[in-house]
């Protein structure tokens, strides 16, 4: 399970970096989203991957992290998802406004040279 998660984080990060280096603004926005998803998975994995552990406190088990999942990374990821969604929406609005003002969607503001 850890190998699959590590591979998913690596693929998301590599794809995000590749898209961030592209010249079009929409590709940059999607790349930033992929990188944020990779970071969210990484933070979620820091809380340990566990199977058959209780998410809430039970009276017959001691209140240590040996028997429970850590709720802090889950709360951080949930908050990061909401913030990431809001930032993506803001980026898309700014991209559409920039496209309307300049007539181009290139990151550097210039058109590609056609050969």
């Amino acid at each position: 399970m850890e190998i699959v998660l590590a591979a998913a984080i690596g693929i998301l990060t590599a794809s995000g970096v590749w898209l961030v280096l592209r010249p079009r603004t929409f590709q940059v926005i999607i790349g930033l989203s992929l990188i944020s998803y990779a970071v969210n998975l990484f933070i979620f994995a820091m809380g340990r991957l566990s199977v058959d552990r209780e998410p809430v406190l039970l009276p017959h088990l001691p209140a240590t992290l040996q028997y429970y999942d850590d709720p802090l990374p889950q709360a951080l990821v949930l908050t990061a998802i909401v913030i990431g969604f809001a930032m993506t929406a803001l980026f898309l609005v700014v991209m559409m406004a920039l496209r309307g003002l300049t007539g181009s969607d290139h990151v550097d503001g210039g058109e590609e040279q056609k050969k």
Side-chain angles (χ1 to χ4, degrees):
M1 181 68 177
E2 289 86 6
I3 292 175
V4 172
L5 185 65
I9 292 170
I11 290 170
L12 281 173
T13 303
S15 300
V17 168
W18 184 76
L19 284 172
V20 165
L21 297 176
R22 304 294 296 165
R24 306 266 183 186
T25 52
F26 184 73
Q27 293 169 343
V28 171
I29 291 170
I30 296 301
L32 288 172
S33 296
L34 287 178
I35 291 173
S36 72
Y37 297 152
V39 170
N40 288 343
L41 277 177
F42 180 72
I43 291 172
F44 189 71
M46 290 298 100
R48 267 187 306 174
L49 295 174
S50 58
V51 178
D52 295 333
R53 294 223 176 138
E54 300 296 331
V56 294
L57 297 176
L58 295 177
H60 60 82
L61 291 175
T64 63
L65 288 179
Q66 181 180 2
Y67 301 104
Y68 301 102
D69 282 338
D70 189 6
L72 183 61
Q74 296 172 13
L76 289 174
V77 168
L78 183 62
T79 305
I81 289 170
V82 172
I83 292 170
F85 180 73
M87 290 303 296
T88 302
L90 177 68
F91 285 155
L92 287 173
V93 168
V94 170
M95 179 193 74
M96 289 172 47
L98 185 64
R99 169 87 173 154
L101 290 174
T102 63
S104 172
D105 64 346
H106 284 264
V107 174
D108 60 358
E111 290 288 330
E112 288 184 32
Q113 293 180 358
K114 296 181 180 177
K115 295 180 182 179

